[in-house]
Amino acid sequence: MRAAITPRRSPAWVTAGCMLLLVVGGALLWLPFHTQYALDDWKTDLRAQGVPARALVYDRVSKRGGTSTTMHVRYELSGRTYTREVACFEVCRSIGDEVPIWVNRRDPSDFVTDFDQLSGHRGRVQGGLGAVGFGILVGAVPLALSRVPFGRWFPRRTPRRSSAAPKRDGAAFTSRSKHKRGGR
């Protein structure tokens, strides 16, 4: 009889698994934000310490029905010609336009444009991992909350019973009407 009254407890590893899911989901959700801050700092460093150059937009490619556009640029540095791509998020220049860029001295394929766009497609993987982390958190938060013993921490209150009005003629019914009972 006692086993039927006490709540069934699941093993501690289930609770530890829920907490681990929360940590992993939070870390994956944090990753794209951290990456974006690091890329913003890298843009500032490249503008301050990079080699100024001019890139020529020689091609634009639209993918997935026009939802994703990429510019292909060509630039020359130290007598060598480089071709790279730049993702079009906010600004996308036309073919034939010249774009001022600042190139990394150690890696000539790395640069920042005058409209603050870094070369290549950076942060895509981190963005995908952030979406996965959000999905994990959506599932892990209810699981973790189900592990919290709210009933033990916050027991239910029993309502106070007020003294009942005196009973008339042995009747158990008391009316809550605003009108007086009885004859006039």
Side-chain angles (χ1 to χ4, degrees), residues 17-33 129-141:
C18 289
M19 295 303 128
L20 182 65
L21 279 175
L22 284 173
V23 169
V24 168
L28 289 176
L29 185 61
W30 170 79
L31 182 63
F33 296 107
L129 289 174
V132 169
F134 179 73
I136 289 173
L137 281 177
V138 166
V141 167

Side-chain angles (χ1 to χ4, degrees), residues 79-155:
R80 187 167 176 201
T81 303
Y82 296 92
T83 58
R84 297 290 177 248
E85 56 183 37
V86 178
C88 296
F89 290 118
E90 296 175 7
V91 177
C92 201
R93 300 283 174 92
S94 300
I95 295 174
D97 285 353
E98 280 196 359
V99 179
I101 60 173
W102 291 265
V103 182
N104 185 357
R105 293 178 192 276
R106 292 186 210 120
D107 181 11
S109 65
D110 187 21
F111 63 86
V112 64
T113 64
D114 67 335
F115 48 91
D116 281 341
Q117 186 63 43
L118 288 166
S119 59
H121 296 277
R122 300 177 190 218
R124 280 188 176 177
V125 173
Q126 291 87 346
L129 289 174
V132 169
F134 179 73
I136 289 173
L137 281 177
V138 166
V141 167
L143 279 175
L145 288 176
S146 72
R147 310 295 309 148
V148 175
F150 288 113
R152 184 173 39 177
W153 291 353
F154 306 108

